[in-house]
Amino acid sequence: MAPSHPAARPPVACAFAPASVGNVGVGFDLLGHSVAGAGDRAQVRRIDEPVVRIAAIRGCVTELPTDPRANTAGTALLSLRAALDLPCGFELVLHKGIALGSGMGGSAASCVAALVAANALLDQPLSREALYAFALDGEAVASGSRHGDNLGSMLLGGLVLATHERLLRIDVPDAWHCALVHPHVVLETRRARAALAGNYALGEFVAQSTHLALVLAGCYRGDAALVREGLKDVLVEPRRAPLIPHFAQVKQAALDHHALGASISGAGPSVFGWYDNRRDAEAASVAMQAAFADAGLDSDAWVSPVNGPAATLIDSLGDDA
């Protein structure tokens, strides 16, 4: 019998990475969940030249660096190449479906989509957890910080606790949904992080830790009452809320529709609410958009299970890419 050989890997792969809600209010830089609907796409081609090249950036955002060292997705692929000492290189085409400075994990989605596509081209593909460190390298280019709250949820799907070294998927009841509303304004991540500079009282940390513990316990037990008690951000939200037009009114609209809690998605300006059923989430999304409209702002809305999708391989970038 002739010896068997592994099937040759294709030269091109495409992937989609969903948007996400970073921080989930009480889990700053640690907790995030993916959102069905919006996302970024990436096409990666294996090339003989041992470099990373960005061939094009399309979609709703095009004015991004094509130098891979200054691009989140490019940096993630550079990190992957270096760590594995690959003899080949990658050529990348990005199709952005997440607006810049939206608080929906746009930079993270580009990283993850590119890595998932490139991983499919490797002779020995890595686990999603093994891709995490390379995604952190890419995310640092956009925000100046290696935080994985958006990355982890995109890599694994659903609600994920992301430390610097570990990703932990946290299951929640399938009935739980998120309403996410993005006003058409840009809030740069670096500006939002700058708003957090200064001193914090010890009592604030104790309160925030208490709330995070209640949310995690509530998720593990499927206990909406515990989540409702804990989903209150007393540390970050008060410092970022002034950067978001009409935030108080939008948050109140979310709470008025039986939210388990509501807060800023990622660095903002998007706002999210959690609900124990889809009907309340859908009603809340309409009310939240109306509250932004009162401030003269158009917005987009998504209603998604908290157990949202993970990044996945797709057949192509699509006809509009």
Side-chain angles (χ1 to χ4, degrees), residues 91-117:
E91 183 178 84
L92 171 66
V93 176
L94 280 176
H95 187 278
K96 295 290 295 177
I98 302 175
L100 197 65
S102 63
M104 294 170 56
S107 59
S110 294
C111 284
V112 170
L115 284 168
V116 169

Side-chain angles (χ1 to χ4, degrees), residues 190-302:
R190 289 177 184 266
R191 180 185 173 210
R193 294 186 82 85
L196 304 182
N199 298 320
Y200 293 77
L202 181 60
E204 291 178 309
F205 281 101
V206 173
Q208 192 83 337
S209 298
T210 300
H211 292 168
L212 176 59
L214 285 168
V215 168
L216 292 176
C219 289
Y220 275 115
R221 294 172 59 173
D223 188 333
L226 286 179
V227 174
R228 182 174 277 111
E229 185 178 349
L231 193 45
K232 301 177 179 72
D233 177 8
V234 299
L235 199 65
V236 175
E237 180 186 301
R239 292 161 174 82
R240 285 181 168 169
L243 302 177
I244 302 172
H246 237 52
F247 171 75
Q249 292 85 344
V250 176
K251 178 180 178 179
Q252 190 59 50
L255 295 174
D256 287 344
H257 288 79
H258 315 296
L260 304 182
S263 191
I264 302 167
S265 175
S270 296
V271 180
F272 79 95
W274 269 21
Y275 301 84
D276 62 9
N277 65 87
R278 186 178 184 92
R279 183 177 61 183
D280 284 345
E282 289 175 341
S285 70
V286 175
M288 292 162 71
Q289 285 192 284
F292 272 126
D294 288 342
L297 291 174
D298 292 332
S299 62
D300 300 306
W302 295 266

Side-chain angles (χ1 to χ4, degrees), residues 89 141 148 214 287 299 316-317:
V141 173
L214 285 168
S299 62
S316 70
L317 283 182

Side-chain angles (χ1 to χ4, degrees), residues 65 68-73 75-76 136-145 190:
R69 295 166 296 182
N71 181 287
T72 58
T75 297
L136 284 172
D137 290 341
E139 177 70 7
V141 173
S143 65
S145 171
R190 289 177 184 266

Side-chain angles (χ1 to χ4, degrees), residues 150-171:
N150 294 300
L151 300 168
S153 62
M154 294 172 185
L155 285 166
L156 300 187
L159 181 67
V160 174
L161 182 68
T163 72
H164 285 164
E165 296 82 22
R166 181 187 294 272
L167 298 178
L168 179 63
R169 171 77 186 257
I170 301 170
D171 288 328

